[in-house]
Structures are given as C-alpha cells and as structure tokens.
Amino acid sequence: MDKIIVVVLCLLLLLAIILIIANKRIKRMHYHKMNQLKDIFKSLSSKQEILNHKASISNDFQSNYKSDMKKLSEEIFVLQKRIFELLSKK
C-alpha cells in the first residue's frame, strides 16, 4: 500500500513539473505574441496617420480644384459673352 502511495505521489509530482514547464513555455509564447501584436499595432497606427495625412492633402486638392474649375468656367462664360457682343457689333 505504501509503495502505491509513493508511486502515485511521484507521478503527481512528475505531472506537476510537466505542467509547470508547459505553463512557462505558454507564458513565453504569450509575451512574444503580445510584443508582436504591439509592434503590428504601432505599425498600423503610423500607417493610419500617413493615410490620414494623404487623405487631407487629397481633400484640399479636390476642394481647390473644384473652386478653380468654377472660377475658370465663370471666366470662360464672361469671355464667350464678350466675344458674342463683339461679333454682334460687327
């Protein structure tokens, strides 16, 4: 009976050691994966900032382009009106 208890205790001790080693390995993998995730998040954040900057530049360009096109079309209209006036006088 004593031998069975000793064997069971040894097996339980061996199991506990195996579980402790596995737990440490899983913790190391977890910390490694968390560091990778932090690096990816930093990279994505910087890319998002760059994208926002480019989008603001694009929006500014579009608004300026629309404004300039509107002014240009108004000037063309005025010039066409003057041309027709000059042609009608002749």
Side-chain angles (χ1 to χ4, degrees), residues 6 12 16-18 21 24 28 32 41 48-49 54 84:
V6 170
L12 288 175
I17 291 172
I18 291 172
I21 293 170
K24 286 183 180 182
R28 277 195 311 268
H32 178 69
F41 183 74
Q48 181 69 34
E49 288 177 14
K54 288 180 179 180
F84 285 130

Side-chain angles (χ1 to χ4, degrees), residues 9-63:
L9 286 175
C10 287
L11 289 175
L12 288 175
L13 182 61
L14 182 64
L15 180 65
I17 291 172
I18 291 172
L19 290 176
I20 289 170
I21 293 170
N23 187 35
K24 286 183 180 182
R25 183 179 53 84
I26 291 171
K27 278 185 180 180
R28 277 195 311 268
M29 285 176 44
H30 173 72
Y31 288 130
H32 178 69
K33 295 290 182 181
M34 289 302 293
N35 285 334
Q36 284 181 338
L37 184 63
K38 286 177 185 177
D39 292 340
I40 290 170
F41 183 74
K42 287 177 185 176
S43 172
L44 286 175
S45 295
S46 66
K47 288 178 182 179
Q48 181 69 34
E49 288 177 14
I50 292 169
L51 182 62
N52 286 339
H53 180 68
K54 288 180 179 180
S56 69
I57 290 172
S58 176
N59 287 338
D60 290 343
F61 176 77
Q62 284 179 350
S63 64

